């Protein structure tokens, strides 16, 4: 029987699938969660997927619609003419007959309500840009025929002392009707005490905002009350741009190579965000038009692609962004379907590869208020670092690849139900224990019976534990002298079994391969080397605080990270793991407008260090590939947790 | 043979047409100019018209597609599926078989390039909102990787001292490409020294703006250079909203009665304006995106309908507008297809029936700078008046109906080629001489051989001359004792022949009927009575200056207007006729931003007098219906020009 190359996006899961298997079956084999209520009986229509056409060079495969069996009657029932033309199929009805790249749209993904870019419990002092002002107006008469707008503005001046008010056009459009519907008592939503965004009939109590973190891999939205500051809901989705390239460089390349690339790239992220807005509001009994303010963070490439600005210049020296400063743009101009008058505040960027996400981390962690020499590592698909204190701050970026997020790992997956997020290996017995995401949160139609893959925090744990247990050596090579059935050969290459077939929902075991270990080494080596270079630049020998940020699944286990050598030695009590600090920053900027000014100021103050310019980088990197390092020591690592071999 | 009621819009021309005649033939009979290069041979496709479906109460007719002969092969050739569904036909192929309301779209109208809302030769001091700033930037490098936006802003600060610049989103979108295309020399179009609207590669010399006067009947656009202030081109079209109602009250009623009325009403005016923008720019080798600023004037209902604001409240006491103040809205938010970053400045309105068009007249004529007690009459479809001087200004509005614009007059037509615009009647012989528009301007495909109708200035002349020659008496009644063949009966009602059949391009003579005279009396009576009431309110006996404004064809003949009694007596040397002063105001606001502040201030300062509240109005009106007036005398009217009977 022939095998074909099948890739699922946006998860990036891939494998060789025997001819004749359906796309739904293949998805299960590869641990890709596709909704199916009927279990593949072609009757529920939930498993809609899209086949992408074209040659996908980075994967080296050619995908086209007739690499699946022809369209069936059942497909017809659930897929309209227009979607059919776009390549939609039912996963359960489509039989694989050639290489295919399958895109699983958000609505067909299982477990998409589980958010691992969770919001932290940060206390944020409340000073939102948009506030509500209820006001009662005197009725107009022939002796007082003042216009509606002037009547409202006069009442707002009298009652609240608000001066020089302007009104956004959409609010003006409905003003006459609103005043009369509210019987001349209305609530004005006003931005920065200056711009009337909306007028609601009667007295309205609550206003809402949305903070969005656009990661290269995961996009998260945090719905907040602008009145209480409370986090009301969280929602995330995989960045659909991943179809066009896994990392920022691949995406820029796609835009350069494809005349329509920019539009496509921008279209899918805007569609995704609109879906997120609908979902997160709908889940809480609200509608998109309840969102009156949005804040956005993201790396510089995500920032440009979201705005629709050609990212070309970011790929070539001197890597200049189109704009550094923060931007305020109407949601309607961006194509975002929130309240039509809603403002979108996009945080500033520092440099070509140190983006608004890092500025989010900055205002969330405030190293510029600290005395201690602090290193903040934000690991997304790129690794971005900030080093310094109130005296001086340096920023830098290094290409880690997506391994630390669970991508480009054989059984890697995003942090969704079924992902292994914690791994421990007993150094004596070499037995493995692990924790799976999703036991506490599931939907009836998606019962987790076993593991589906390994997410970011799991892979960091896994490689660190392999080393600690002496299964791989300092150079990352699997030892060949161990006699555990978990260490085995696969096509002649060693791999270590984390979960046996009966512990998984796949048709086999979940393992960590030699290549997986190598990918983690490359990533962590880049981070370590970057940190060392920054320390050298600042002339410091020792870190006084390390903050690990990033949306990895659960928070990174700081001890495992130090075992791995992700960062130079530091007192473990001074190492903390903060989760998605970039998202926290977006939320902070949403709820407190003063922090936007701080962001603007700090983005300008931070000094950007271009690592590619530093000649020592390559050398540092080579040494840092070792676990935990070729020569540097980690005096603060408890002896218990070090490799005994 | 049966006769059917046929109405052509937007001209409003109507008549009873025998069954079996084509729409094109009917249009010729009624003096409606429809393009036809092939002369009705169904081969040129120029005579596309649209049949409107529904019962049109104000005309009392029911119109529907099958009141025309079936769609022919020739129709198919020139009319696509979509347009067919909308009711489009070839006028030459459609035979009349029932009552029909026919809409003649702008592109099918003859003579539509002849603009009677001509711009005056006013000297306007130049201080536009948008100016161009050419600047050369230092090249970025790894040691100076400043972003594009910050680089541009720094250069503009250094070269021109421009501070606190913002950039509109569309400009940002193309910034990286523009800077590189211009090899780091670019020209920034900046509004109010604050907002960068656009960046062009290289050095650009000229920027353009458009002033628009939205009349109930005629819409005019004035294309100007923002660099020199020169008027580059003028273009006008009939307001397509006329299909939904001739005057402002009919249009408000349509919006109230039809759920989709607002959208339709707004849709047609925006479409019309976009067509105007394309045409006026295209005629001068420019494109719509060359327009960087737009100013708008119009009466309050036109203002609301243009913006898409429900005009409901304008129809009921206390007639409050949605907003008085001037507005600045992006062209893109309004759906206007100019430069996407262009700003649209809409002049303020004074009251429900004294609109931004009057504010335009105000800043064009500046009565607030005069010592003389000045009356300004702006006659459009409504009559709006301003009375006063630097001490105090009153404004008022009266419902004149559209007679003074040539509408609701049997042979009335808009000021287009073929319209009689001047009429003189010899009091001795009762012979008529007249002047036709269009002899000096024509297109090869439209050869004027005779008169088609009478436009606004013509009808004022005509009725004044009928009175002066003693053909009608003071009460407006035709005398029955004259023995000229020009005075004849038509269905038992008297009418006076202005042009004999061989002097027209119609199948008969052009006449002024008793009803026409009555309509003019109603209109001029309303104006006179309104002026009297305003004078009473200000406690003045005598006018020191009268300014006649309005787009009537040629300028109003001031002597004929006084013979008619359109306004109280004034020294004829102190009466002037200024043409489209509202349009002048729009142009002034376009070219001089200081005048916008003046407009805002004056719109607030002018006191609005609600004539419907004044009990004496009806009485004044009754007396003012007489020609020139029942009791008031006109000592300044030269004896030569008065009725000798």
């Amino acid at each position: 029987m022939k095998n074909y190359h099948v890739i699922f996006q946006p998860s990036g899961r891939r494998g060789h699938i025997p001819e004749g298997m359906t796309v739904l079956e293949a998805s299960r084999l590869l641990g890709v969660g596709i909704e199916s209520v009927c279990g593949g009986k072609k009757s529920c229509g939930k498993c809609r997927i899209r086949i992408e056409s074209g040659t996908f060079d980075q994967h080296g495969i050619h995908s086209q619609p007739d690499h699946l069996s022809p369209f069936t009657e059942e497909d017809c029932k659930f897929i309209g003419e227009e979607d059919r033309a776009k390549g939609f199929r039912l996963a359960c009805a489509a039989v694989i007959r050639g290489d295919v790249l399958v895109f699983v749209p958000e609505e067909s993904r299982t477990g998409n309500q589980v958010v691992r870019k969770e919001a932290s419990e940060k206390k944020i002092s409340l000073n939102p840009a948009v506030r509500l002002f209820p006001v009662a107006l005197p009725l107009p008469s022939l002796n007082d025929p003042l216009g509606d707008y002037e009547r409202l503005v006069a009442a707002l001046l009298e009652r609240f002392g608000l001066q020089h008010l302007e009104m956004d056009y959409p609010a003006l459009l409905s003003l006459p009707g609103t005043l009369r519907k509210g019987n001349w008592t209305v609530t004005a939503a006003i931005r920065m005490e200056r711009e009337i965004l909306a007028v609601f009939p009667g007295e309205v109590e609550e206003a809402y905002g949305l903070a969005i973190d656009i990661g290269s891999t995961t996009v998260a939205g945090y719905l907040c009350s602008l009145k209480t500051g409370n986090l009301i809901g969280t929602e995330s989705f995989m960045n659909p741009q991943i179809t066009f390239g896994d990392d920022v460089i691949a995406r820029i390349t796609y835009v350069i190579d494809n005349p329509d690339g920019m539009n496509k790239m921008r279209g899918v992220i805007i569609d995704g965000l609109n879906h997120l807005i609908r979902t997160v509001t709908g889940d809480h009994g609200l509608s998109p038009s309840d969102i009156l303010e949005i804040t956005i963070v993201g790396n510089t490439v995500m920032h440009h692609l979201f705005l629709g600005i050609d990212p070309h210049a970011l790929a070539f020296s001197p890597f200049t962004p189109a704009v550094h400063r923060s931007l305020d743009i109407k949601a309607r101009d961006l194509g975002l379907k929130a309240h039509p008058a809603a403002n979108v505040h996009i945080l500033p960027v520092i440099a070509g590869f140190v983006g608004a996400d890092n500025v989010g981390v900055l205002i969330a962690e405030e190293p510029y208020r600290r005395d201690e020499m602090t290193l903040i590592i934000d690991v997304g698909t790129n690794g971005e670092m900030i080093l310094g204190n109130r005296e001086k701050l340096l920023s830098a970026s290094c290409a880690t690849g997506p391994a630390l997020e669970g991508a480009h790992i054989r059984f890697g997956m995003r942090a969704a139900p079924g992902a292994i997020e914690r791994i421990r290996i007993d150094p004596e017995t070499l037995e493995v224990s692990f924790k799976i995401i999703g036991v506490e949160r599931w939907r009836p139609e998606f019962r987790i019976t076993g593991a589906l893959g390994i997410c970011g925090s799991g892979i960091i744990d896994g490689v660190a534990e392999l080393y600690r247990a002496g299964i791989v050596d300092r150079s990352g090579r699997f030892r060949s002298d161990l006699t555990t059935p978990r260490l085995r050969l696969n096509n002649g290459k060693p791999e270590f079994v984390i979960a046996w077939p009966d512990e998984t929902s796949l048709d086999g075991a979940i393992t960590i391969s030699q290549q997986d270990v190598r990918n983690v080494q490359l990533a962590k080596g880049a981070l370590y080397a970057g940190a060392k270079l920054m320390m050298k630049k600042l002339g410091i020998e020792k870190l006084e605080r390390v903050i690990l940020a990033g949306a990895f699944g659960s928070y990174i286990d700081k001890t495992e990270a130090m075992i791995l050598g992700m960062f130079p030695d530091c007192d473990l009590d001074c190492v903390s793991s903060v989760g998605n600090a970039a998202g926290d920053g977006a939320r902070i900027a949403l709820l407190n407008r003063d922090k936007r000014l701080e962001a603007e100021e700090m983005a300008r103050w931070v000094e950007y260090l271009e690592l590619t310019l530093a000649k020592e980088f390559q050398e540092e990197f080579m040494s840092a590939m070792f676990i935990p390092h070729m020569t540097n020591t980690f005096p603060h690592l408890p002896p218990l947790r070090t490799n005994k071999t």
Side-chain angles (χ1 to χ4, degrees), chain A residues 176 254 308 380 463 465 526:
Chain A
Y254 186 87
V463 176
E465 290 287 300

Side-chain angles (χ1 to χ4, degrees), chain A residues 416-427:
Chain A
I420 295 175
E421 57 172 350
R422 282 271 165 269
I423 295 175
R424 290 293 177 271
I425 302 175
D426 184 318

Side-chain angles (χ1 to χ4, degrees), chain A residues 69-101:
Chain A
S69 58
F71 215 69
T72 67
E73 220 176 278
E74 288 87 358
D75 283 293
C76 276
K77 256 193 255 170
F78 298 104
I79 292 158
E81 273 306 312
E82 207 177 310
D83 280 348
R84 180 176 177 171
K86 287 181 188 160
F88 276 93
R89 297 296 304 268
L90 294 185
C92 62
V95 179
I96 291 162
R97 296 187 175 169
D99 289 353
V100 283
L101 176 65

Side-chain angles (χ1 to χ4, degrees), chain A residues 69 95 243 442 484 619:
Chain A
S69 58
V95 179
T243 313
W442 61 0
T484 162
E619 202 175 310

